[in-house]
Amino acid sequence: MASSKPFWLLLTWFVAAACCLLVLKYTGVLGHINMNGLSEWLRGLGWIGGLLYIVAYTLRPLVLFPATPLTLFGGYTFGALWGTVYDIIGAGAGAILSFYLTRRWGRGGFQRIIRGKKLQSFDEKAENNGFMVVLYMRLMPFFPFDGVSYGAGLSKIRASDYTWATLIGIIPGAIVYNVFGASLQDIGSGKFYGAIALYVVFAVLPFAFKRKQRQHAHH
């Protein structure tokens, strides 16, 4: 039982982080943060502001803060180009950190939990096709970002497959969300509506892809 202790410590940490977020949300603390003031402050710091954003994004999964609002904030604060660059660095680093934390501390305990043949079979498939599995889930916006990171860490997916699939797969979403976040500086403009159209295409594309796959399978 001693070897499963890190797994339960990790689980306790996530529960505590989720409780803290709920407290902040329902006490109204999050709603009172001056986002415009914070954005201007970070811009005023120059490259240091970008570095602080990257650090915050890297550590974000550890406190279970949602990725999408922080990504939009990056585009709003730093613009579409630099917001995307900072997002890819921070999101990539955070995803890799999440993976290694669960791989190091959670995998052993998880192995003792998955006794069913179906779960074990999925684990084997994940090991053999890890790159494509992770790449697909990173490209599809309806998969929870942190869920993919932590789930991959618990599985047999190779670290190299996970890392490269993540770094490649997060690029389209980073571009779309940061373009949309940057457009919030000028709501009602052509740029704003163009960003909405880009976001809609990004959101709908996975469903069209899945439908095409099903049609192909029937044939």
Side-chain angles (χ1 to χ4, degrees), residues 97-147:
L97 175 64
S98 305
F99 174 86
Y100 277 101
L101 276 175
T102 45
R103 176 58 57 88
R104 176 69 179 84
W105 290 343
R107 174 64 188 168
F110 187 68
Q111 278 183 309
R112 282 182 286 277
I113 293 174
I114 54 168
R115 301 295 186 186
K117 289 183 178 179
K118 287 185 178 180
L119 281 173
Q120 289 177 351
S121 175
F122 175 79
D123 210 20
E124 296 296 335
K125 289 179 182 177
E127 181 181 22
N128 297 328
N129 304 289
F131 179 86
M132 292 308 299
V133 169
V134 175
L135 182 63
Y136 175 80
M137 289 192 290
R138 289 303 189 201
L139 290 171
M140 301 296 109
F142 48 78
F143 283 104
F145 190 87
D146 295 333

Side-chain angles (χ1 to χ4, degrees), residues 6-164:
F7 175 79
W8 294 109
L9 288 175
L10 197 64
L11 188 61
T12 301
W13 169 266
F14 290 145
V15 171
C19 289
C20 286
L21 274 181
L22 289 173
V23 169
L24 290 174
K25 178 181 178 180
Y26 289 108
T27 55
V29 173
L30 291 178
H32 285 84
I33 296 176
N34 184 347
M35 301 307 294
N36 282 323
L38 181 59
S39 181
E40 290 177 10
W41 177 69
L42 286 172
R43 279 196 298 269
L45 292 175
W47 66 269
I48 296 177
L51 181 61
L52 289 176
Y53 175 78
I54 290 171
V55 171
Y57 215 127
T58 300
L59 299 177
R60 178 202 59 77
L62 301 183
V63 294
L64 303 181
F65 189 85
T68 300
L70 193 57
T71 305
L72 293 173
F73 177 76
Y76 179 83
T77 301
F78 303 108
L81 175 60
W82 285 107
T84 299
V85 172
Y86 295 152
D87 177 18
I88 291 171
I89 296 171
I96 292 169
L97 175 64
S98 305
F99 174 86
Y100 277 101
L101 276 175
T102 45
R103 176 58 57 88
R104 176 69 179 84
W105 290 343
R107 174 64 188 168
F110 187 68
Q111 278 183 309
R112 282 182 286 277
I113 293 174
I114 54 168
R115 301 295 186 186
K117 289 183 178 179
K118 287 185 178 180
L119 281 173
Q120 289 177 351
S121 175
F122 175 79
D123 210 20
E124 296 296 335
K125 289 179 182 177
E127 181 181 22
N128 297 328
N129 304 289
F131 179 86
M132 292 308 299
V133 169
V134 175
L135 182 63
Y136 175 80
M137 289 192 290
R138 289 303 189 201
L139 290 171
M140 301 296 109
F142 48 78
F143 283 104
F145 190 87
D146 295 333
V148 173
S149 303
Y150 290 122
L154 293 174
S155 75
K156 287 184 177 181
I157 290 174
R158 296 181 184 90
S160 59
D161 287 344
Y162 170 82
T163 300
W164 285 111

